[in-house]
Amino acid sequence: DQQVKQNSPSLSVQEGRISILNCDYTNSMFDYFLWYKKYPAEGPTFLISISSIKDKNEDGRFTVFLNKSAKHLSLHIVPSQPGDSAVYFCAASPRTSSNTGKLIFGQGTTLQVKP
Amino acid sequence: KAGVTQTPRYLIKTRGQQVTLSCSPISGHRSVSWYQQTPGQGLQFLFEYFSETQRNKGNFPGRFSGRQFSNSRSEMNVSTLELGDSALYLCASSLAPGGYGTGELFFGEGSRLTVL
């Protein structure tokens, strides 16, 4: 039972354009949603998060939008750069496991930004 | 500031053997979580330790176990290895469990286990 889903395994965009990565969840009992980025041969690194009580959070070129009624969140990268090419994981922190290290991850989306 | 260190980085075992993986968290971090990453499955939570106590456990069989030492270093052990245990095992640390509830974890580079 996949509670967090990233339905697009891959995405390719042109440098300078917007990248939109999507994530759907099936459980309303999440406190935080997060995005992690992973380069080959490295561990995931935290990118940006959003509290379940917010709709939007912005950090430089990265913006995360949360649509609670649709149980959907998205990560926007504007403008996209070749260095953004990586695997992006959506993750959620369950309320029943709050204040623990347990996160529910999606399967990941591989972003390729072409120069 | 040194990051999360995992050893060994790569290892090959055969079915039925057991393996121990080690994780040294960022200095000052007291919470350590372990995840398994397999192709197409994303990252799946194994367990979390804080102050030498297991605080949470994922849905894995009892062959998977772990512990944490007084210096916050952690080990995980997998006994009676199966082919399906081949994966990247990631360790993550945070100052407090779950990054004070925000979910912000600091991951190591992982230990890639291949079971033949």
Side-chain angles (χ1 to χ4, degrees):
Chain A
D1 178 28
Q2 193 76 28
Q3 296 184 57
V4 177
K5 296 181 181 180
Q6 294 176 255
N7 292 316
S8 298
S10 62
L11 173 68
S12 181
V13 300
Q14 207 65 36
E15 180 181 6
R17 305 295 292 271
I18 183 172
S19 294
I20 300 177
L21 296 103
N22 295 304
C23 179
D24 297 302
Y25 60 96
T26 58
N27 186 336
S28 297
M29 304 297 286
F30 290 125
D31 273 339
Y32 279 87
F33 297 91
L34 309 94
W35 287 93
Y36 279 83
K37 179 170 74 173
K38 186 179 185 299
Y39 293 117
E42 294 184 12
T45 55
F46 170 77
L47 192 56
I48 191 170
S49 65
I50 185 168
S51 165
S52 60
I53 63 174
K54 299 267 180 87
D55 300 321
K56 174 183 174 181
N57 188 27
E58 191 172 355
D59 184 2
R61 297 186 296 113
F62 303 92
T63 303
V64 57
F65 295 92
L66 177 61
N67 182 333
K68 290 180 279 293
S69 61
K71 293 188 174 64
H72 177 84
L73 69 156
S74 60
L75 173 68
H76 293 209
I77 306 174
V78 184
S80 300
Q81 301 173 352
D84 296 329
S85 298
V87 179
Y88 289 79
F89 289 99
C90 168
S93 176
R95 195 166 301 160
T96 54
S97 301
S98 62
N99 294 317
T100 77
K102 179 176 182 178
L103 298 177
I104 309 296
F105 281 85
Q107 306 95 312
T109 297
T110 300
L111 172 66
Q112 182 185 29
V113 180
K114 297 179 180 178
Chain B
K1 191 174 187 181
V4 177
T5 304
Q6 292 188 245
T7 56
R9 290 290 312 280
Y10 302 91
L11 67 167
I12 300 173
K13 293 285 187 178
T14 57
R15 279 180 297 174
Q17 287 186 311
Q18 67 93 25
V19 66
T20 299
L21 309 177
S22 179
C23 172
S24 293
I26 291 172
S27 177
H29 285 193
R30 295 171 59 197
S31 177
V32 173
S33 304
W34 288 89
Y35 285 81
Q36 180 195 65
Q37 183 187 4
T38 53
Q41 290 293 319
L43 283 73
Q44 294 183 288
F45 175 76
L46 281 157
F47 26 65
E48 181 199 23
Y49 289 88
F50 178 73
S51 294
E52 302 178 66
T53 301
Q54 187 181 89
R55 297 189 77 248
N56 208 340
K57 190 177 191 304
N59 189 25
F60 279 82
R63 300 186 296 107
F64 292 81
S65 63
R67 58 178 175 167
Q68 187 181 36
F69 303 94
S70 58
N71 62 357
S72 295
R73 192 177 70 84
S74 176
E75 288 181 348
M76 69 162 282
N77 185 79
V78 188
S79 62
T80 318
L81 285 166
E82 301 177 359
L83 295 178
D85 297 333
S86 294
L88 180 67
Y89 290 88
L90 292 159
C91 168
S93 75
S94 57
L95 282 167
Y100 292 104
T102 63
E104 183 175 348
L105 308 177
F106 296 83
F107 282 87
E109 295 176 327
S111 293
R112 183 162 297 280
L113 170 66
T114 301
V115 182
L116 302 177

